[in-house]
Amino acid sequence: MKISHDWLRAFVPHTLSPNALGDLLSAHVATVDAVAPLRADLAPFVVARVVESEKIPDTKLSFNKVDDGSGELLEVVCGAPNVVVGTLYPFARTGTVMPAGITIEKRKIRGFTSNGMLCSARELGLGTDHDGILALTVDVPVGTPLLTAMPIGDTQIELDVLPNRPDLLSHYGVAREVAALTGVNTVLPDEIQNLPAMPSAKSGASTTMAGDITISVEDLAGCPRYVAVRISGVKVGPSPEWLAERVVSVGSRSINNVVDATNYILHAFGQPVHAFDAAKLAKTAIVVRKAKAGETLVTLDGVERKLESWMTIIADGERATALAGVMGGRGSEVTEHTTDILLEVALFNPRDVRKVRRALNISTDASYRFERGVDVTRTDWMAAQAAGLIVAVAGGAITGVADVGAALPLPAPVTLRVDRLTKLLGASVPEEDVERLLAAIGFTVEPSAHRSYAVQPPSWRHDVTHEVDLVEEVARLRGFDLLPDALGSSRPGTVPDHALFIVGNRVRDALVGAGLAEARPMPFTKGGDSEVYARVANPLADDEPFLRRTLLDTLARRAEYNLNRQQGNVRLFEVGSAFIPDGKGLPREEVRAAVLVMGASRPPHFTDAKPPAFDAWDVKAIAELIARSAFPGERIALVAAESEPTLWTVYAGDLEVGTVSRVALDAPVWAAPAFGVEITLGVMSSAPVTARADEATGAAALAQHHVRFVPLPTTPAAEFDLALLVPNEMPAAEVERVIRAGSGAMLEQVTLFDEFRGTGVPDGKRSLAWRLTFRHPERTLRDKEIDGRRSQLLKTLETELGVVPRTA
Amino acid sequence: MSLDEFKAACHSLSTDGPALIAAAADQDAWASVRNMLVGRTSGRLSSIMATLAKLPPDTRREAGQLANTVKVELERLLDEKQIALAAAAPSAVAFDRSMPARATWRGSLHPVTIVIDEIAAIFRELGFTIALGPEAESEWYNFTALNFPADHPAMELHDTLYLEGGGLLRTHTSPVQVRTLQKYAPPVRILAPGNVYRRDFFDATHSPMFAQIEGLAVDEGINFADLKATLTHFAHRFYGATRRTRFRPSFFPFTEPSAEMDVEVDLGDGRGLRWVEIMGCGLVHPAVLTGAGVDSERYTGWAFGMGPARIAQSRYGIPDCRVLFDSDVRFLGQFAV
């Protein structure tokens, strides 16, 4: 909402500067986004002093030396007769764009160089005086920007009006707030005092006459009240200067006196007003009705609109001629030839206007206000202002007024309990302040039983429906900053940390410790099939309308992004959501941890100039790291997968939780192979909450795995190595299982430490070497015992697996 | 041996020692000087120390202290000399300690996570725990339960991405307020960080997904003063104890009164302190409490929501938000531990 500081002061003659007013509004009413001079185009102009001046012979020109504060005197040729040495003038340096659009450049005139221009009032767009350059009487240093040196023109205040406060969408509405905050009363601006009076209206429940025109409202739900004013003999033409200025001051364009007058009422009072050319209304009738199937209307913007039968429209005796509350029709537009007007000042149903506006995708100043709600009781008063203003600026006479339907009821009264106010704000507000502040913005405050008030909101405040709304009014008008802010004590809450937060953080920390970089990419993907992927119904761009099923899908695209930038060492991880369509309703949301690594597995060092690239064993370790961090105390197993690209399936206990895989990328030839891990940490339920959690549930979510202490050994260990010839197709894990089973209770540790193929190892086999560690809890093991165990174990391996020791 | 003789020996050593050390021309000379002076078996200091036992018992303490002073000083000079020799002739050094460590890759948290963690740490001190909720949400939790009037311009504050087959991508973390209040009885003090979505084009200042962090406190006696106090405490901890805060009226359907909190922040752009909008907040609307099954006459609450991505951008001087999502390893590496 653009507010003109001058126009606002016409409604409430306060004495604050634009910036001070902006601060006041921000603190108590609504956020001020900007306070800017309306004549921002004058920003480059500076104040300069003429230091020397001499006439150029045989011309009207003078050659001057000008001090613009830049440190050196500028040579400037001037055509005005009134240059006075020592006087300050507005000065345009070279490069300055004049309000008329011309850029001032360095040029030669009669052999003299001119580096800029001394300006007249007219050249600055400050009136029509062209008697010469504008002598300034300000006392500022040369070089001061003109806008800083003196007040020039109006200031525009950009107010961020949120949807609950449509009453602020007008100068009068903002003025009411300023009046309440400053104690200065609102008045009607001079320009609309003493307007020609509007004769009293002919009322009708659903139909009556406005002069010669029949006004009928068939759709009273869509249009509860319709005031029509018939004005004859107007002369459409340019607006008087004051009216054009008002319209321009809020960022509109001056069109003609009739249209400008309707815009004046809209911006002054927030009531949209529409003027029809009465001569263009068929059968001298206005009918407010639903559109007929197949009906069309060319709106003021020249677009032919297909109307739907649920849309409220304004028709003449034959066809649609305006979209109710949204936009007029081209067919009944007021033009320079118009002499007869029908003025429409009405109430339209906010929801209906919103629906039409959305369906046809046209937002106007009128629809914006009707959607949010206008003053529901003062429609006739608004009509009188609008009609009077038109007659005042365009002539003519009011020849009939119709008032169909009725004013809507005031918003329902709301009770405000003083104790509740104190309780919610944490501070008591003197009762006289409560009454005074609410009354100041138009509420009727009646003391009621038990230290409470019955508060009647005014006709323009549809947002005040609950006691808390009144609490907000009191709090903001006094100022939030007046409330105390000492930190008190508080009880601990009943909510335990979410388990997925705890797990997610543990995994994050582990992966950062492992040298990986966290990514937080977006989950959108090209996807493919709506059966398999959840799809966004209204994506802004069509290239990625689906939600990912796997985090690796996203990380793979992020890796390619890096490869495109010649970054081949990629170590990314993410903790985020995967979305799995679940038949009907919301997709199942799984919180997962995923890793993508490729390139050097460690930084190069002078002892290790070409460190190896990440391989399957590195990612297997990363998968184990994630699983151990996520599922402490669970048995973690990585089982070889049936077929690539999946390398292993990850189990935590009996639960399959994820995979380790090779990742196919759109990669350049120099890129190293990519590997991925994706592990599901848990499901984020989107089901409705149906029951309160008891405390046990909360405690269970927090259950932690605690390590059990094992006493430290007091006896020495004994160890030996087994180098075995294992067929290529036999998994090492199978051999290890037999070793463990056949080693007895004193086995402490089994470590696979070598794999060898080549000399001395038959084809089809490999040599695998394990180190076995034994320990007796109470005494030192004898060599004989160890040797016996070793030969026993070799016998078992041979019998069960046919595996023999490597001899060479 | 007498104490005086002992002292003389010490004095002689402390006079000769520094000169000998200074004269050592290379590592070998240094090593032999060290052996001669403080060598464990045949050094002069050891010889002196060996006489300690022959001194009268009541003088041993003083003598021992004196010898130790000499020892400490000589060792200091020896260390300095060794460093100086190493620096003077690096090419002659077999073990060049100026060479780099054998490092491992340094991992990094995303800057937005760093900011979320830091915000959470401050609120955790005040007894807040972490609640989470789904990103694919129902309209009921995202709008209806939060007192958004159906078919009202207030809905336009949230340009929503809807899902085929029903539901939407949550437009804020506020649905977690409702889920938490339904599940746990007051007192409730939670933070809810997470990703939220808006139907925005992806450009330097907008992204269809961004992080948000929600706060909610519900108990008996919670009020606006408490809200101001807690959030001001947060601002002082996060931005500095001398930062001023201010509260301005605002509008959210699920809070009433609603406010914006500004903090006077130095964005490091050379423009000094200025007011920056940090978060929206307010007292929880009674309709939200009632809808979640909480007695809104007995219990009151406040809530806030802020954007850690914006905070990260201003803190780290990141002008274009897209880099937060691109996952360029050169960007992420700047936040390595």
Side-chain angles (χ1 to χ4, degrees), chain A residues 194-251:
Chain A
N194 309 316
L195 290 175
M198 184 177 82
S200 58
K202 288 190 178 173
S203 296
S206 66
T207 184
T208 189
M209 301 294 288
D212 54 344
I213 298 182
T214 316
I215 310 291
S216 314
V217 180
E218 295 175 3
D219 180 13
L220 278 166
C223 174
R225 190 174 189 189
Y226 196 94
V227 177
V229 186
R230 180 77 171 83
I231 306 172
S232 303
V234 298
K235 191 165 161 35
V236 176
S239 289
E241 202 172 319
W242 70 264
L243 179 57
E245 264 177 30
R246 288 284 190 240
V247 171
V248 168
S249 73
V250 293

Side-chain angles (χ1 to χ4, degrees), chain B residues 3 13 20 36 72 79 137-139 149 161 173 228 231 241-243 255 268 277 318 336:
Chain B
L3 179 61
L13 179 57
L20 287 165
M36 186 178 77
V72 167
D79 284 350
E137 252 303 1
S138 67
E139 282 198 71
L161 288 168
T173 41
K228 272 186 72 179
L231 297 187
T242 56
R243 294 288 181 268
T255 52
E277 191 175 304
I318 302 168

Side-chain angles (χ1 to χ4, degrees), chain A residues 493-578:
Chain A
T494 57
V495 188
D497 278 330
H498 197 287
L500 284 172
F501 166 76
I502 297 172
V503 170
N505 264 7
R506 222 158 33 205
V507 170
R508 267 196 190 98
D509 290 347
L511 291 174
V512 169
L516 279 74
E518 189 197 16
R520 295 183 70 108
M522 284 188 267
F524 303 108
T525 172
K526 280 194 194 67
D529 185 347
S530 286
E531 296 290 304
V532 181
Y533 289 90
R535 190 182 197 282
V536 174
N538 58 337
L540 261 182
D542 275 337
D543 55 341
E544 291 191 329
F546 294 98
L547 295 177
R548 63 181 176 190
R549 285 178 62 87
T550 66
L551 273 57
L552 275 175
D553 182 357
T554 310
L555 291 183
R557 302 295 84 74
R558 296 297 99 212
E560 286 165 356
Y561 177 95
N562 277 289
L563 291 172
N564 282 336
R565 283 152 186 79
Q566 284 70 53
Q567 300 302 309
N569 290 333
V570 177
R571 301 177 313 280
L572 293 176
F573 82 89
E574 187 195 348
V575 177
S577 289

